[in-house]
Amino acid sequence: MKKRFICASLLLAAWGAVQAPAQISLVNPIPQQVNLQSGDLLDAPKAWTLKADAARLNGFAVKALEQSGIATNNKAEFCLTLGVKGDKKVKKYAARIPAHAQGYYLEITPKGAVIAGADEAGLFYGVQTLLGSIAEGKMECATITDWPDVAFRGTVEGFYGTPWSHKARLSQIEFYGRNKMNVYIYGPKDDPYHRDHWREAYPEAEAKRIQELNEHSKQWGVNFYWAIHPGIDIKWTPEDRDALMAKLEKMYNLGIRSFAVFFDDIWGEGTKADKQAELLNYVDDNFIAKHKDVSPLIMCPTEYNRAWANDEKGYLRTLGTKMNKDVQIMWTGNTVVHCIDKESMEWINQRIDRKAYIWWNFPVSDFVRDHILLGPAYGNGLDIAEDLSGFVSNPMEHAEASKISLYGIADYCWNMKAYDEKRDWEKGLQAVLPGNTAALRTFALYNKDLGPNGHGFRREEGDELKPLTEKALAGDVKAVAELMQQCWALKMSADVLLGDKSNPELIRELRPWLLQAKNVAEYGNAVCLMNLIHRTDYADGVITFEGLYNQARSLQEQMYELENSDVRHALQPGIKVATKVLLPTANQLFTKAVDKYNQEKGTQLSNTADYNPYKLTSDVTQLALLPVTVRGNDVNVSPALEVINWQNGGSLLIECDRNITFAGMDFNLGVPDVAKHFKLELYADGQWKTVSLLHYSADDPVIHTGNELGGMSASKLRLTNVSGSEQKVYFKHFKFVKQ
């Protein structure tokens, strides 16, 4: 076999190279206006003399300088002058300060630099620009006039699943400060004191952690918003209104100065627009107005996207007309997961009579937990800055990996017209893993798309491979050999990253997908060789078609077994890598090679490429694409993260590749006393047999099966809504146990 298929030069080419950019282009976000004085690079100062008004020395902008590690020395030749508009030290630069909140003017010369901010936030951002530009030890002379397009920019920790750790949150806040994002909305769905037990005070230890997050945010120029979610069980009574006010006061006493109230993902009493407006007006008038040092209130509505909006009933228009105009209203776009454009902003702003506050559901992956999303942020309009009041991203539960996309989102919100998602993606990879950027880039190329999902939101992945894969599938031998080299590059990148010690938290998050990437790469390599083995220059007698076939079949099963192993993170249903182009191509090449071999040799080898013993189908749209996963003897269907509109007669069907013996089953639709509306059937001995359903108590939402299930053998199970009407339920868990 020729050694050329492991050509190192091609592998390195696939990894790409990171070039050292000019100094100002190290800065994120891209400044609005830059005037370079010359192309010469100077050595960055190792110390500087600091000049600022006394009132400025205790601000968070100066503290950011202290954290940089550059010494302040009154005898240093390089002089750094700081101030905000109105300060004596920057008086002569006042006319150059942009007339925008959070703006700044920065001037860098060989002898010193001046940063003059429109306010303290602008001064802080000017400091971050200076520090970013000298990060590689060099400096270039320039003047920069800069300000943000969007006033409020950042993230909402609003995903379902495992909340971020305290350490991860602290790291996120620092990342936001460095990249000029100024909002962190704390609203994890699985924090019980945010949602399910919203009336109750935080235990002391948890309260101290939130207090620390808030104080840390102040040091990094970030507004820490604490969100409460009362809609799940609120009663529109004075008692519940007072309970909400009491909880807000408790959080204010912890030091919180920014607040949000969520009414998303609920149904029933809590969804009434007039009641929501009445409550939030009361909060706005009696809490926000009372405390003069708090930010404007933010609310997330129940109809938070266009697909769910009922114009005839007028929910959004009721909020727009009845709710105080200084209350900000969040919006996810035309659907739950959607990019934002000019037309969609005009549509929502007309209805809520204010500029919407965008909650962008990317790179969140709580509805596709078997994927990790390492691609660029793109698809939003570059002309909507004037149409929105704020823009926050909902990231993944994998905080460190989310920074790749968040790097670009920070740039997009700051300077939309200059935004280049490809450039920012490359820079984001470098920022997250500077020591192994090339390997991370290769791995990330195969972890961009979400796969088929109920929201229909997809991302480009493997586009650069399509010309090659099309030729390979058409029988081009050279293309097959080149595709094999891409598989080797993926395997090498995964091996390199698994050994990386520079960012252990990132590697911990990526580990399940890194291990699966090795399986996918080895499978692709084996399949490519199966298509080349008939050529004399690839056949050396040691490697045979049958051997490669057995390896490929084994790897198919290994991919499935890894997906259902303890390598997964909590709540993770599987581990999908390269599912848009590379893996489907490998599967097609496998089938093609086996069919040709069977035809030539008269054998009957199986050409099935996708190994999975369980298949789920459903005519309930929101359930149709949920993955089935296995942990030991437990077979689970992943939860859905929204209200399920389960139509009358709609069913969920699970088919097994063989008869299994059932030991038990239970599922949670989030509603007490709902079992009577559903029928469970098992397919055994050629016919459907009904299994009884029950709740153990009147207020228990978990549905259990009757004793007749135990020991029953069947190949299919079906759950059907037989109530005669649509049922609004959740789909919190669904599990059966096999013997």
Side-chain angles (χ1 to χ4, degrees):
M1 188 184 309
K2 292 190 175 181
K3 295 182 180 179
R4 57 187 172 85
F5 79 95
I6 325 179
C7 176
S9 62
L10 282 174
L11 293 175
L12 292 173
W15 279 10
V18 179
Q19 302 295 324
Q23 302 312 293
I24 298 301
S25 33
L26 295 174
V27 174
N28 192 57
I30 299 297
Q32 299 281 355
Q33 298 175 6
V34 177
N35 182 17
L36 295 178
Q37 303 301 309
S38 71
D40 296 334
L41 294 184
L42 309 172
D43 289 332
K46 293 182 171 55
W48 45 40
T49 297
L50 183 62
K51 292 184 178 180
D53 288 15
R56 205 60 50 208
L57 295 176
N58 291 323
F60 60 90
V62 171
K63 289 183 179 178
L65 286 172
E66 295 171 352
Q67 293 172 343
S68 71
I70 299 177
T72 300
N73 183 344
N74 290 334
K75 296 182 180 180
E77 293 183 3
F78 191 87
C79 180
L80 177 59
T81 303
L82 303 178
V84 302
K85 196 165 189 176
D87 287 0
K88 292 182 180 179
K89 287 292 192 295
V90 295
K91 183 177 181 179
K92 70 177 183 178
Y93 300 96
R96 303 181 193 180
I97 300 172
H100 298 268
Q102 306 174 54
Y104 65 92
Y105 170 78
L106 168 62
E107 182 177 292
I108 305 173
T109 70
K111 294 184 177 180
V114 174
I115 307 174
D119 45 35
E120 185 74 19
L123 180 60
F124 174 79
Y125 296 142
V127 167
Q128 292 303 321
T129 294
L130 177 62
L131 294 176
S133 70
I134 64 175
E136 293 185 345
K138 294 293 181 179
M139 179 180 72
E140 58 189 330
C141 298
T143 60
I144 297 174
T145 307
D146 200 13
W147 64 88
D149 282 345
V150 181
F152 297 101
R153 316 161 301 280
T155 67
V156 51
E157 187 185 342
F159 52 80
Y160 292 86
T162 307
W164 285 339
S165 69
H166 188 63
K167 182 179 179 181
R169 288 171 178 145
L170 293 171
S171 176
Q172 285 283 310
I173 290 165
E174 294 175 14
F175 180 83
Y176 303 159
R178 284 193 297 271
N179 292 284
K180 303 185 178 74
M181 293 194 284
N182 63 347
V183 170
Y184 167 42
I185 302 177
Y186 174 93
K189 292 291 192 292
D190 291 334
D191 174 352
Y193 303 99
H194 156 76
R195 182 176 164 97
D196 291 344
H197 303 295
W198 60 269
R199 298 173 184 84
E200 301 175 24
Y202 280 97
E204 183 178 355
E206 187 58 32
K208 286 183 177 179
R209 281 191 287 270
I210 290 178
Q211 200 169 24
E212 183 181 353
L213 292 174
N214 184 56
E215 290 302 314
H216 199 62
S217 296
K218 292 177 184 178
Q219 299 304 314
W220 287 92
V222 176
N223 294 303
F224 179 89
Y225 278 82
W226 180 79
I228 190 168
H229 198 305
I232 192 169
D233 64 354
I234 193 169
K235 309 296 187 294
W236 303 114
T237 62
E239 290 77 15
D240 263 5
R241 181 198 66 196
D242 293 345
L244 176 63
M245 292 288 285
K247 184 70 169 281
L248 294 175
E249 286 289 355
K250 284 185 174 67
M251 303 310 294
Y252 182 87
N253 291 335
L254 289 177
I256 309 300
R257 295 297 181 264
S258 302
F259 298 88
V261 183
F262 292 171
F263 291 99
D264 58 314
D265 297 345
I266 58 172
W267 76 87
E269 187 68 20
T271 66
K272 294 180 178 179
D274 57 341
K275 294 295 186 181
Q276 292 176 3
E278 180 183 348
L279 176 65
L280 293 183
N281 286 346
Y282 185 88
V283 172
D284 195 40
D285 295 339
N286 296 280
F287 177 77
I288 302 296
K290 171 187 171 183
H291 299 294
K292 304 299 183 183
D293 56 347
V294 299
S295 305
L297 186 66
I298 297 175
M299 73 93 69
C300 183
T302 306
E303 294 181 10
Y304 56 78
N305 68 87
R306 191 169 177 174
W308 291 4
N310 189 324
D311 246 5
E312 292 182 4
K313 293 185 177 180
Y315 171 90
L316 292 171
R317 294 187 189 277
T318 298
L319 293 182
T321 57
K322 292 190 175 183
M323 195 159 64
N324 292 354
K325 291 297 185 286
D326 54 348
V327 178
Q328 305 291 334
I329 301 177
M330 306 192 85
W331 186 248
T332 68
N334 285 341
T335 62
V336 176
V337 188
H338 207 278
C339 292
I340 313 297
D341 61 17
K342 190 80 171 178
E343 186 276 334
S344 64
M345 289 305 305
E346 291 172 349
W347 188 93
I348 180 58
N349 289 351
Q350 289 172 4
R351 283 156 178 78
I352 62 176
D353 196 25
R354 70 203 73 197
K355 296 179 180 181
Y357 195 116
I358 296 303
W359 171 321
W360 192 39
N361 275 317
F362 180 83
V364 66
S365 60
D366 55 9
F367 59 104
V368 286
R369 285 193 181 109
D370 49 1
H371 288 72
I372 194 162
L373 306 181
L374 307 179
Y378 64 93
N380 296 304
L382 303 180
D383 57 351
I384 62 173
E386 298 300 320
D387 302 309
L388 48 86
S389 60
F391 189 107
V392 291
S393 157
N394 189 14
M396 297 181 285
E397 67 177 76
H398 311 295
E400 200 66 23
S402 293
K403 290 178 180 177
I404 296 171
S405 298
L406 292 177
Y407 186 95
I409 291 168
D411 193 12
Y412 169 78
C413 292
W414 187 273
N415 190 350
M416 286 189 184
K417 290 182 180 178
Y419 183 60
D420 182 337
E421 71 268 12
K422 294 181 180 179
R423 174 198 62 207
D424 277 85
W425 184 64
E426 301 282 358
K427 291 174 67 177
L429 294 166
Q430 173 83 14
V432 171
L433 199 67
N436 267 323
T437 303
L440 181 60
R441 184 185 188 279
T442 298
F443 174 70
L445 285 170
Y446 300 96
N447 292 277
K448 296 180 178 180
D449 185 45
L450 294 78
N453 62 85
H455 296 299
F457 190 75
R458 303 297 298 270
R459 301 275 84 178
E460 65 84 20
E461 179 185 290
D463 288 25
E464 68 283 347
L465 284 181
K466 284 182 179 178
L468 183 62
T469 58
E470 289 169 359
K471 291 179 182 179
L473 290 170
D476 185 323
V477 172
K478 183 178 178 182
V480 173
E482 290 178 5
L483 183 62
M484 185 166 60
Q485 300 204 18
Q486 297 296 329
C487 293
W488 273 101
L490 175 59
K491 182 181 185 302
M492 287 178 65
S493 71
D495 280 330
V496 168
L497 293 172
L498 284 166
D500 184 273
K501 304 292 190 248
S502 63
N503 190 339
E505 181 59 18
L506 175 68
I507 303 308
R508 183 196 68 79
E509 293 173 356
L510 299 182
R511 182 175 174 79
W513 290 274
L514 290 169
L515 294 172
Q516 192 71 296
K518 293 179 64 174
N519 283 335
V520 170
E522 290 177 3
Y523 173 64
N525 180 61
V527 167
C528 286
L529 282 173
M530 287 170 63
N531 283 267
L532 296 172
I533 198 69
H534 63 283
R535 289 173 53 88
T536 56
D537 52 350
Y538 281 93
D540 58 7
V542 176
I543 297 178
T544 65
F545 184 92
E546 292 86 351
L548 291 169
Y549 171 82
N550 290 332
Q551 182 191 18
R553 292 285 289 173
S554 173
L555 285 164
Q556 289 170 1
E557 294 196 20
Q558 287 179 55
M559 284 188 271
Y560 174 81
E561 289 169 357
L562 186 68
E563 281 203 82
N564 295 284
S565 71
D566 290 338
V567 166
R568 294 172 297 177
H569 299 300
L571 306 177
Q572 186 181 339
I575 312 169
K576 302 293 188 186
V577 174
T579 56
K580 198 169 188 181
V581 175
L582 180 61
L583 185 56
T585 299
N587 285 338
Q588 291 178 66
L589 287 172
F590 175 83
T591 298
K592 179 183 175 183
V594 172
D595 287 345
K596 182 177 181 181
Y597 187 82
N598 283 339
Q599 184 179 12
E600 292 177 352
K601 304 295 184 182
T603 53
Q604 295 183 336
L605 300 177
S606 172
N607 68 358
T608 302
D610 190 13
Y611 178 81
N612 193 331
Y614 301 100
K615 178 184 177 183
L616 181 149
T617 55
S618 178
D619 55 1
V620 181
T621 304
Q622 295 157 290
L623 304 180
L625 295 172
L626 297 179
V628 181
T629 185
V630 180
R631 286 187 184 271
N633 289 326
D634 293 351
V635 181
N636 299 272
V637 179
S638 291
L641 305 176
E642 58 189 359
V643 177
I644 305 299
N645 301 308
W646 197 316
Q647 73 271 23
N648 179 49
S651 64
L652 173 76
L653 174 69
I654 299 177
E655 300 174 84
C656 313
D657 65 352
R658 61 181 66 88
N659 268 4
I660 65 170
T661 302
F662 286 79
M665 178 178 178
D666 62 65
F667 52 97
N668 184 350
L669 300 184
V671 183
D673 198 31
V674 76
K676 61 188 177 186
H677 297 313
F678 289 86
K679 180 180 181 180
L680 177 66
E681 301 168 282
L682 268 63
Y683 191 75
D685 301 324
Q687 60 182 325
W688 288 101
K689 299 181 179 180
T690 301
V691 175
S692 58
L693 298 173
L694 68 151
H695 297 279
Y696 286 165
S697 63
D699 59 351
D700 183 8
V702 178
I703 299 174
H704 301 271
T705 57
N707 292 332
E708 69 270 25
L709 178 75
M712 184 183 293
S713 293
S715 60
K716 304 176 188 178
L717 66 85
R718 182 169 65 194
L719 182 67
T720 307
N721 174 7
V722 294
S723 67
S725 61
E726 180 184 82
Q727 294 295 313
K728 289 186 179 293
V729 297
Y730 292 109
F731 195 81
K732 294 191 171 183
H733 88 253
F734 188 98
K735 179 183 75 173
F736 63 86
V737 183
K738 57 188 179 69
Q739 290 185 1

